[in-house]
Amino acid sequence: MELVFLGTGAGVPSKERNVTSIALTLLQEQNSVWLFDCGEATQHQILNTSIKPRKINKIFITHLHGDHVFGLPGLLSSRSFQGGEEKVTLYGPEGLKDFVTTSLKVSGTHLRYPIEIQEIAEGKIYEDDQFTVFAKQLDHGITSYGYRIVEKDRPGELLVDRLKAHGVHPGPIYSQIKENPFVDIANGQRLISEDFVGPNKSGRVLAILGDTRAMATHHEFIKDANVLVHEATFEREKEQMAWDYFHSTTTQAAEAARQANVEKLVLTHISSRYQGEDNHRLLQEAKQIFSNTELATDFFKLDITAHS
């Protein structure tokens, strides 16, 4: 699980930051990529990464402001010419279906793959054998969601030394032991799998919030996340402006991370008023409250690891 920040700016693009989009690469887990928001020129940003558009099969839209969705029709269209054949499922607020279908219809775009558009409400919106995704409505000028991605616990490591001590050497039987409650081996011995497999590994938790005021009501939703991605449109001194425009400051995001006991905070959605020379100052504002903080720039990458 790796996050790739394709765009980290707020409102309008700047020379240093494109507008919002984040890719979650799940190549080892599912051979796929999930996209969170798709601001204008997201497909251009992807060209500067190793991400293959045909691997993108889920797109989660936090809200329908243009800096989060105007890149969507172009990306969907281009994917047809980049080997994309697998279905793409879109999740987002009411109005997403009208936006996408109208854009494709009036531009005469014909996709070579099926799409499914799910207009969501709060609660569990997706589940498979590995992941569950939850949505929560935030506090913004229009309907805006946060997403909590929860990986299910993974099987523990095979205790190879213990197996060898029982005369069981590497081979297909190792997979059988890991996948079945018990295995009968050639000498007539029955091996109980739980005796030869370590404890389950805790699944990882990622929380990505769309545009929002920082609210105490969000803390339970982001609680104990390995990584929290939180908007930080404004610096600490602009708290009133942040409230008026339904956004958050660096220090408000940091306080949310501290209160919710998350492991790591990543700040994004930075106003274009701040340029490269301001990054250190913005980051230090947050780190004074929550030390394990990063401030994302375009193409910043982060591996998501479980709690140690």
Side-chain angles (χ1 to χ4, degrees), residues 216-257:
T217 51
H218 302 161
H219 294 173
E220 185 64 29
F221 185 72
I222 63 178
K223 185 178 180 181
D224 297 332
N226 297 105
V227 175
L228 166 64
V229 179
H230 199 298
E231 72 126 287
T233 308
F234 296 108
E235 63 189 304
R236 175 178 54 200
E237 294 181 355
K238 303 293 186 184
E239 190 169 317
Q240 186 59 52
M241 181 178 290
W243 178 265
D244 292 342
Y245 288 94
F246 295 92
H247 286 297
S248 301
T249 68
T250 53
T251 50
Q252 288 173 333
E255 183 61 27

Side-chain angles (χ1 to χ4, degrees), residues 146-162:
Y147 294 104
R148 180 180 176 95
I149 302 93
V150 180
E151 182 186 33
K152 297 178 180 179
D153 289 351
R154 294 163 288 161
E157 297 288 345
L158 208 59
L159 304 177
V160 175
D161 290 343
R162 186 176 294 179

